Amino acid sequence: MELPQYVAIGRGLEQTIAQRLSKHGYQKCVMITSKTPFRLYGSKLIEAAGRGSAFEVFFVDELLEEVEPCVQKARASDVVVGVGGGRVADVSKVVAELSGRPFFSVPTVASHDGIASPMTSYRRNGQAYSRKSVMPSEVFADMNVISLAPRRYLLSGCGDLLAKHSAVRDWWLGHRVTGEYYGRYAAHLAYLSASVVMKSARLIADGVVEGVRTVVEALISAGVAMGVAGSSRPCSGSEHLIAHALESLMEKPALHGERCGVAAVFTSYLHRSNWRKLRDSLVVMGAASKLEMINVDADLFVEAVKKAPEIRPDRYTILHRRRLCRREIVEILQETQLM
């Protein structure tokens, strides 16, 4: 099992991060970020660390698909610090993995469960793939900066979390059919992350700090579930396959969690679980709950459902068990009110 050694959630954590760097004796730091997160938080972190630390800053947009210069610099440093959203976290994990350096995760949005997970989705040669990389050694979720992010990102995180209801069922199905490993504790931890967010739907809808913090804690908990399982299995199932298929079919796809949330209503129907409660929770929060809200029509969704099993043929899900025709897919979309 790979788990974070230290997790801090609070306000004004710049000094806390600086103290942790100092405690470990980390003086040379590679910071991977993007322009807005750097302006809002990365620059403050460098200031808090003071003259005792030297930061080499890399902007993720400028790295494109070539991370080797960053990896070389990281090998001569003590730690990789990722300050930003999903792409920053993904690239930071790859750089930490290739350089053999520890990774400090400093999320600035609560839009994904990669905050505290060992999984990375990384593009190379124009292709996106997900695989196990490195678990963040320390995680710092500063509510001051996370609360500044557009609300859409928080709701995307909610969609990603609610998708665990479907993912856990796919994992159990795969275990029964193929005999693959199934970790009861990791599965329940992931399921709990989804359940607590569903129960907090009204708080999240009202935009109160308690609701935002609940989402952040649940995302970290989901990441830990993957660390316990040693894979993304407890958090990524048929709904994620549909989300990845949509991404490959669209020039400008909706956010990952938005696609996962909508797809989870569909796959939960296939599992004969409480898809109505899942959909209603998305509606209460104000999250994406229909195809039109993720800029997808019925034809595109049908194509994605058919393509989804091919993305991970080794990972058995309800979509591998039930090969649906167009008519069946459309009927389900109508019954679940996704269209």
Side-chain angles (χ1 to χ4, degrees):
M1 296 182 186
E2 295 180 86
L3 305 174
Q5 300 169 8
Y6 184 89
V7 177
I9 304 173
R11 290 185 174 276
L13 296 180
E14 298 95 330
Q15 286 295 337
T16 300
I17 301 171
Q19 290 167 7
R20 295 296 296 179
L21 290 171
S22 177
K23 179 178 180 178
H24 291 295
Y26 296 156
Q27 295 181 321
K28 295 181 180 180
C29 310
V30 163
M31 177 184 289
I32 299 174
T33 185
S34 52
K35 292 184 178 179
T36 299
F38 179 75
R39 176 175 57 83
L40 293 175
Y41 204 81
S43 58
K44 296 179 181 179
L45 174 55
I46 293 175
E47 183 179 349
R51 296 181 179 178
S53 299
F55 282 83
E56 187 82 21
V57 179
F58 289 86
F59 291 101
V60 71
D61 289 338
E62 297 171 0
L63 289 174
L64 298 176
E65 296 183 351
E66 180 52 65
V67 297
E68 191 56 34
C70 188
V71 171
Q72 291 296 338
K73 185 63 69 171
R75 285 180 179 141
S77 301
D78 300 314
V79 62
V80 175
V81 181
V83 181
R87 278 198 304 163
V88 167
D90 287 334
V91 173
S92 297
K93 290 173 187 177
V94 172
V95 171
E97 177 186 14
L98 295 178
S99 65
R101 295 296 178 263
F103 167 46
F104 278 22
S105 174
V106 187
T108 56
V109 294
S111 63
H112 57 93
D113 59 16
I115 290 173
S117 86
M119 307 307 297
T120 181
S121 178
Y122 182 61
R123 289 187 177 275
R124 179 170 289 173
N125 299 324
Q127 296 294 320
Y129 63 95
S130 296
R131 63 177 180 83
K132 185 179 177 184
S133 183
V134 296
M135 173 67 80
S137 59
E138 306 203 2
V139 182
F140 304 90
D142 196 320
M143 301 303 293
N144 283 348
V145 67
I146 290 174
S147 297
L148 293 176
R151 182 167 175 75
R152 180 186 176 193
Y153 289 97
L154 180 72
L155 296 177
S156 173
C158 292
D160 199 4
L161 284 165
L162 265 57
K164 305 332 176 199
H165 272 282
S166 171
V168 167
R169 286 178 168 82
D170 277 318
W171 193 15
W172 175 244
L173 177 64
H175 168 69
R176 284 167 42 209
V177 174
T178 70
E180 69 171 287
Y181 161 74
Y182 175 80
R184 189 172 297 275
Y185 179 81
H188 279 262
L189 187 58
Y191 195 86
L192 175 64
S193 300
S195 297
V196 71
V197 169
M198 290 178 71
K199 292 178 180 178
S200 305
R202 179 52 59 186
L203 284 174
I204 296 167
D206 292 341
V208 298
V209 173
E210 183 181 351
V212 177
R213 185 184 177 99
T214 296
V215 175
V216 172
E217 291 176 348
L219 288 169
I220 292 174
S221 179
V224 170
M226 288 184 267
V228 171
S231 76
S232 63
R233 210 36 167 136
C235 296
S236 175
S238 52
E239 75 296 323
H240 271 64
L241 296 181
I242 294 175
H244 289 313
L246 285 171
E247 181 180 14
S248 70
L249 295 169
M250 301 175 71
E251 184 175 345
K252 294 183 178 180
L255 295 175
H256 172 75
E258 293 175 324
R259 288 177 273 122
C260 287
V262 171
V265 176
F266 181 87
T267 55
S268 293
Y269 178 95
L270 296 178
H271 280 294
R272 297 181 180 178
S273 62
N274 196 343
W275 59 267
R276 289 184 179 85
K277 186 176 181 180
L278 197 158
R279 183 202 61 198
D280 292 347
S281 296
L282 291 172
V283 172
V284 169
M285 295 173 191
S289 57
K290 289 182 176 291
L291 294 187
E292 63 184 24
M293 298 175 74
I294 57 171
N295 300 316
V296 172
D297 59 21
D299 290 336
L300 183 57
F301 193 83
V302 168
E303 187 177 355
V305 171
K306 288 181 173 294
K307 182 177 181 178
E310 302 170 5
I311 294 177
R312 291 293 298 268
D314 59 316
R315 179 166 287 189
Y316 194 87
T317 71
I318 193 69
L319 295 178
H320 297 81
R321 182 172 187 170
R322 293 190 59 182
R323 298 287 182 163
L324 302 168
C325 67
R326 174 186 169 78
R327 177 184 57 79
E328 292 174 311
I329 296 171
V330 172
E331 286 178 352
I332 295 171
L333 290 175
Q334 292 171 338
E335 185 168 348
T336 56
Q337 299 177 16
L338 289 174
M339 59 174 288

